[in-house]
Amino acid sequence: MDWINAIIQGILLGGLYALFAAGLSLIFGVMRLVNIAHGDFIVLAAFLGLSVTSVLGISPLLALLLVVPAMAALGYVLQRGILNQTLGDDILPPLLVTFGLSVIIQNGLLEIYSADPQKMSAGPIETASIALPGDLNVGVLPLIMFLVAVVVIAGLQWVFYRSALGRAFRAVSDKQDIAELMGLNKAHVFGLAMALSLAVVAIAGVFLGIRTSFDPSIGPGRLIFGFEAVIIGGLGNLWGTLIGGIILGVSQNIGAQINPGWQLLAGHIAFLFVLAVRPRGLFPRID
């Protein structure tokens, strides 16, 4: 039963990793932008959630109503104000700029919140669980996180393939010049893509802050988990990020079941194995 429990907990953890990865996959799919600061934006969202819950005295889940639009607005302004100027044939400028943003966010958070680990409390729901046959228990909060991840990815999939905004995303992604000739404002579309990406990041950040402690320095580690989930699932495939996150979460939990010190190592080994046999991921969509 311990192994079955490890797999179930790994699947639920994969939902959080999928939230880390979904925004990353979205902006790569639309503008081929690799956001080095993605993990730090997750941590920034967690700290914003912490500030909102502290000031207003509300649940972190309710704080999402403020954190999500705030992060989306930040994403739009950031894309229109800075990142659009770096996009082009050379991938180095956006990499350097997002790396700079990563350093700025980390140091800014350090100045404001200090290096002390923080955590948000969601109340009794954190310890609530559902009993399953065979002495297995599933935590309510991890289950909510997984279901939210499924809903978010289904929503992004609908936006991308069933809405006018999604058609604009795909048009500027495939042929930017022709899309602009047809009347699309590329800079505005890219801004909306980054806003959508950071809205998902806001959800991931608040859930991260509820699940575990966080401090300004952990952003790069969350970025690695996001990258690994994206690469395992396949670049540009939103459902692939969910599967990638599940594979990563299950690998880590099985590694921890063998030896607690192997948890992160097992996830990295799973990532390297997929990269070796399927360099473009299990379900690639980007040509």
Side-chain angles (χ1 to χ4, degrees):
M1 282 301 170
D2 290 341
W3 293 99
I4 296 175
N5 183 58
I7 292 172
I8 293 174
Q9 302 308 323
I11 291 172
L12 298 180
L13 178 60
L16 182 61
Y17 290 162
L19 287 174
F20 289 171
L24 204 60
S25 180
L26 174 68
I27 60 169
F28 180 83
V30 173
M31 61 186 97
R32 308 295 192 268
L33 171 65
V34 178
N35 184 6
I36 300 296
H38 188 80
D40 298 290
F41 281 119
I42 293 172
V43 179
L44 174 62
F47 275 107
L48 282 179
L50 178 68
S51 295
V52 171
T53 56
S54 300
V55 172
L56 301 181
I58 59 176
S59 164
L61 297 178
L62 287 176
L64 283 170
L65 297 175
L66 296 176
V67 178
V68 169
M71 290 296 293
L74 173 64
Y76 184 84
V77 171
L78 188 65
Q79 186 68 39
R80 293 297 301 267
I82 299 176
L83 294 176
N84 275 343
Q85 281 68 43
T86 68
L87 297 177
D89 294 334
D90 189 355
I91 65 169
L92 192 56
L95 284 177
L96 292 175
V97 169
T98 54
F99 177 74
L101 286 173
S102 170
V103 174
I104 291 170
I105 293 171
Q106 286 186 41
N107 283 279
L109 292 176
L110 199 59
E111 286 291 330
I112 297 171
Y113 295 98
S114 82
D116 295 337
Q118 308 284 348
K119 187 179 182 306
M120 284 183 279
S121 173
I125 196 173
E126 284 189 61
T127 54
S129 63
I130 300 172
L132 298 178
D135 292 331
L136 296 173
N137 288 284
V138 174
V140 171
L141 188 61
L143 184 60
I144 290 174
M145 291 181 186
F146 183 82
L147 293 176
V148 168
V150 172
V151 170
V152 165
I153 290 176
L156 290 177
Q157 189 81 4
W158 182 86
V159 168
F160 212 81
Y161 293 103
R162 294 287 185 272
S163 71
L165 179 60
R167 286 192 290 275
F169 285 164
R170 285 182 281 132
V172 296
S173 172
D174 292 340
K175 299 290 182 184
Q176 295 181 10
D177 295 339
I178 296 177
E180 287 188 301
L181 287 175
M182 298 300 292
L184 288 175
N185 183 337
K186 182 179 71 174
H188 177 62
V189 174
F190 283 173
L192 292 177
M194 183 57 80
L196 197 55
S197 171
L198 288 201
V200 177
V201 161
I203 299 172
V206 170
F207 279 160
L208 170 71
I210 297 173
R211 181 183 175 90
T212 184
S213 61
F214 57 95
D215 63 66
S217 67
I218 68 167
R222 305 319 101 178
L223 173 66
I224 290 174
F225 292 155
F227 266 137
E228 289 182 341
V230 169
I231 298 298
I232 291 173
L235 289 171
N237 188 330
L238 291 169
W239 286 114
T241 60
L242 178 62
I243 296 173
I246 290 173
I247 291 174
L248 190 61
V250 170
S251 301
Q252 289 184 355
N253 273 31
I254 288 178
Q257 187 66 28
I258 297 171
N259 185 315
W262 293 1
Q263 181 177 7
L264 296 181
L265 177 63
H268 297 325
I269 290 174
F271 163 69
L272 290 175
F273 177 76
V274 172
L275 196 61
V277 298
R278 299 272 296 183
R280 299 177 60 202
L282 297 177
F283 311 100
R285 281 284 179 85
I286 300 299
D287 294 324

